[in-house]
């Protein structure tokens, strides 16, 4: 049986027909669906380009193909192309066998509407929370409040009606977006780490260390990850006598204003913007150099960057949002948006070598739950269930009562 995956996002296609991505969604990511399905077709926006950056990866390959949606960027462009987008999604759903919606996202909502009307079974992989994504401090847009309400309500609806549901969190997203009691429900992270991502042992901490390197990894395209709060916290720590440097991994539209913020605070020599590094060894090398990983997110799912840092035995500080409380203890978190609380926490951790040693040990142990073999069976169990449900539906074996229990249940 073939699988269609609907995902919100954008990729690029070169004239030779190859599909490329600068994100983690390369061929290795998509090929894991092939453990259960014969072929995977990914429905996503694709932009034709003449060439791509050297560090981008192929996304298509044996058993994995891509079906392009009309390309748009942002709400205004969607208004111009919305009818074309909906038509393309409906056409793809007509031809689909098994379907998984990676949500939240507008494309997933459109696909779910069609599937529900047709009575077609579908699965969802819940990988984020629009209620947090469109929080007041995370997005500055005149329609932010509308988007927040509309996308959260749509996600609750399509999750409640899905036949199979997975979450990237163990309990956080489940509370806000519950599945039907009749659905197959599990959790597994999109963060799947290979063996080489792990260090063999916790870090040895130098009790006499006087200068420290912090590292942050996340997009600068939006302010979800709150690098501005981190820069303010570093400034406060330095003013109180801590010898700190900060490396920021990531790039995006806000980089210029963040560089200006660091310069305005007199941190030009202490804050370094390293840009978007290729995944793998370049990122691991930066994590290994650092003494503390800090992710002061305003909103979050389950942060891959933090789990990668934990797998290197790196002590971590975060905020108590999204899935971060599933990774860190309460003593390693602060409220979002509070640079003073973040500065205090950074100082507490760096001044206590025994605490950092304990954090290193705990983080490495916790990260092992994200080893690829640990998550593979959970993932495949959902895929097998969805395959069987779809086969039964195609053969006319799904009962009317069962269909009604899922496809008429819609909490708003």
């Amino acid at each position: 049986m073939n699988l269609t995956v609907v995902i919100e996002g954008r990729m690029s296609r070169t004239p030779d027909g190859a599909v490329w991505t600068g994100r983690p969604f390369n061929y290795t990511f998509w090929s894991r669906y092939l453990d259960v399905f014969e072929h995977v077709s990914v429905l996503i926006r694709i932009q034709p380009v003449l060439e791509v950056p050297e560090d981008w990866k192929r996304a298509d390959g044996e058993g994995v193909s891509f079906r392009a949606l009309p390309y748009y960027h942002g709400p205004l462009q969607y208004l111009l192309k919305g009818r074309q987008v909906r038509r393309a999604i409906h056409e793809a759903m007509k031809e689909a066998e098994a379907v998984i919606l990676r949500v939240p996202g507008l494309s997933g909502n459109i696909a779910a509407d069609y599937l529900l009307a047709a009575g077609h079974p579908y699965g969802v992989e819940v990988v984020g929370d629009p209620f947090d994504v469109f929080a007041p401090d995370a997005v500055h847009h005149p329609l932010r409040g509308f988007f927040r309400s509309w996308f959260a309500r749509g996600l609750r609806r399509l999750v409640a009606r899905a036949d199979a549901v997975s979450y990237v969190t163990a309990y956080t997203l489940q509370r806000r977006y519950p599945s039907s009691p009749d659905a197959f429900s599990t959790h597994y992270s999109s963060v799947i780490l290979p063996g080489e991502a792990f260090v063999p042992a916790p870090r040895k901490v130098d009790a006499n260390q006087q200068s420290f390197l912090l590292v942050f990894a996340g997009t600068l395209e939006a302010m979800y990850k709150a690098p501005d709060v981190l820069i303010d916290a570093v400034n406060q720590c330095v003013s109180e006598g801590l010898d700190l440097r900060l490396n920021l991994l990531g790039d995006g539209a806000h980089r210029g204003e963040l560089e200006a913020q660091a310069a305005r605070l007199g941190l030009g020599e202490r804050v370094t913007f390293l840009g978007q590094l290729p995944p793998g060894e370049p990122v691991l090398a930066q994590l290994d150099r650092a003494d503390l990983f800090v992710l002061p997110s305003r909103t979050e799912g389950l942060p891959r960057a933090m789990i990668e840092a934990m797998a290197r035995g790196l002590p971590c500080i975060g905020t108590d949002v999204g899935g971060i409380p599933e990774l860190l203890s309460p003593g390693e978190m602060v409220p979002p948006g509070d640079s003073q609380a973040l500065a205090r926490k950074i100082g507490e951790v760096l001044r206590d070598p025994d605490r950092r040693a304990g954090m290193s040990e705990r983080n490495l142990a916790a990260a092992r739950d994200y080893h690829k073999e640990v998550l593979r069976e959970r993932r495949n169990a959902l895929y097998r269930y969805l395959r069987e449900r779809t086969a039964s539906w195609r053969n006319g074996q799904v009962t009317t009562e069962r269909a009604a229990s899922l496809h008429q249940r819609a909490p708003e």
Side-chain angles (χ1 to χ4, degrees):
M1 182 180 292
N2 296 331
L3 172 70
T4 297
V5 179
V6 182
I7 182 171
E8 200 69 29
R10 300 184 298 274
M11 290 189 177
S12 297
R13 176 176 275 136
T14 46
D16 60 359
V19 178
W20 300 85
T21 179
R23 301 187 177 194
F25 299 124
N26 57 26
Y27 177 77
T28 300
F29 177 90
W30 300 112
S31 64
R32 61 196 186 192
Y33 293 101
L34 298 176
D35 284 354
V36 173
F37 297 99
E38 280 70 44
H39 184 89
V40 180
S41 176
V42 183
L43 190 64
I44 192 171
R45 286 171 281 169
I46 298 180
Q47 181 181 33
V49 297
L50 294 178
E51 58 183 9
V52 296
E54 291 183 1
D55 58 345
W56 279 34
K57 304 292 184 183
R58 281 285 294 268
D60 58 333
E62 184 177 359
V64 177
S65 62
F66 285 78
R67 182 164 178 166
L69 292 176
Y71 192 85
Y72 67 91
H73 188 248
L76 291 180
Q77 290 188 14
Y78 176 77
L79 288 176
L80 297 175
K81 296 187 176 181
R83 182 174 296 181
Q84 298 173 29
V85 172
R86 297 179 70 88
R87 185 183 305 120
I89 293 173
H90 289 175
E91 288 298 319
M93 293 302 98
K94 285 181 186 178
E95 303 168 11
E97 296 180 2
V99 177
I100 288 178
L101 313 177
R102 285 183 62 85
V103 292
L106 183 59
S107 297
N109 289 351
I110 296 170
D113 287 341
Y114 181 91
L115 295 168
L116 288 166
H120 192 305
Y122 66 90
V124 296
E125 294 178 325
V126 186
V127 299
D129 187 348
F131 192 81
D132 287 341
V133 168
F134 291 102
D137 290 336
V139 170
H140 301 284
H141 190 281
L143 296 177
R144 179 202 60 76
F146 168 76
F147 290 149
R148 189 185 203 194
S149 174
W150 190 81
F151 277 110
R153 186 168 60 249
L155 183 56
R156 281 194 296 272
R157 173 175 175 270
L158 71 86
V159 169
R161 294 180 171 189
D163 297 79
V165 184
S166 76
Y167 302 85
V168 294
T169 60
Y171 54 82
T172 302
L173 289 168
Q174 288 87 329
R175 293 170 177 169
R176 189 169 282 170
Y177 306 101
S179 63
S180 164
D182 298 322
F184 181 99
S185 181
T186 186
H187 72 276
Y188 52 81
S189 173
S190 296
V191 182
I192 300 175
L193 302 182
E196 58 269 22
F198 294 82
V199 293
R203 296 190 169 208
K204 294 181 180 179
V205 175
D206 181 2
N208 298 315
Q209 186 173 352
Q210 296 298 316
S211 61
F212 302 93
L213 176 62
L214 310 185
V215 64
F216 162 96
T219 180
L220 306 184
E221 191 63 34
M223 297 298 252
Y224 307 144
K225 308 289 184 179
D228 54 327
V229 175
L230 177 54
I231 291 172
D232 281 340
V234 167
N235 181 58
Q236 183 171 332
C237 288
V238 170
S239 68
E240 294 173 357
L242 269 175
D243 186 2
L244 291 185
R245 290 178 296 122
L246 168 64
N247 284 349
L248 293 104
L249 282 59
D251 215 337
H254 291 277
R255 177 170 173 171
E257 67 186 76
L258 292 166
E259 290 175 330
Q261 177 188 0
R264 185 172 64 253
L265 295 172
L267 299 174
E269 295 183 357
R270 292 183 179 270
V271 176
T272 302
F273 291 81
L274 297 176
Q276 187 69 45
L277 299 184
E281 185 56 37
V283 173
L284 298 184
Q286 292 299 324
L287 297 176
D288 290 343
R289 289 180 57 210
D291 301 296
L292 181 65
F293 178 89
V294 187
L295 190 67
S297 300
R298 294 181 168 98
T299 176
E300 196 57 78
L302 195 71
R304 179 186 183 90
M306 180 172 284
I307 297 172
E308 289 180 336
M310 294 168 67
R312 308 308 289 180
L314 185 57
C316 298
I317 292 174
T319 43
D320 53 357
V321 299
I324 293 178
E326 297 183 15
L327 300 175
L328 303 181
S329 70
E332 296 158 4
M333 295 182 293
V334 298
D338 190 336
S339 61
Q340 293 184 350
L342 181 60
R344 288 194 298 270
K345 187 64 65 177
I346 291 171
E348 290 172 12
V349 170
L350 294 182
R351 292 187 177 101
D352 189 340
D354 291 338
R355 182 174 181 177
R356 283 185 281 128
M359 292 168 70
S360 175
E361 184 175 2
R362 288 192 302 274
N363 286 355
L364 180 56
R368 292 194 176 104
D369 287 342
Y370 298 88
H371 193 285
K372 62 181 180 180
E373 296 305 325
V374 173
L375 298 176
R376 182 177 182 179
E377 185 49 41
R378 282 188 207 163
R379 194 172 64 241
N380 286 351
L382 181 137
Y383 299 164
R384 287 192 294 267
Y385 179 86
L386 180 62
R387 179 178 177 134
E388 292 168 4
R389 289 279 303 133
T390 304
S392 296
W393 175 75
R394 289 167 63 86
N395 293 330
Q397 296 172 4
V398 176
T399 66
T400 302
E401 292 80 5
R402 168 63 181 168
S405 70
L406 287 173
H407 299 298
Q408 292 181 7
R409 189 173 181 273
E412 299 294 342

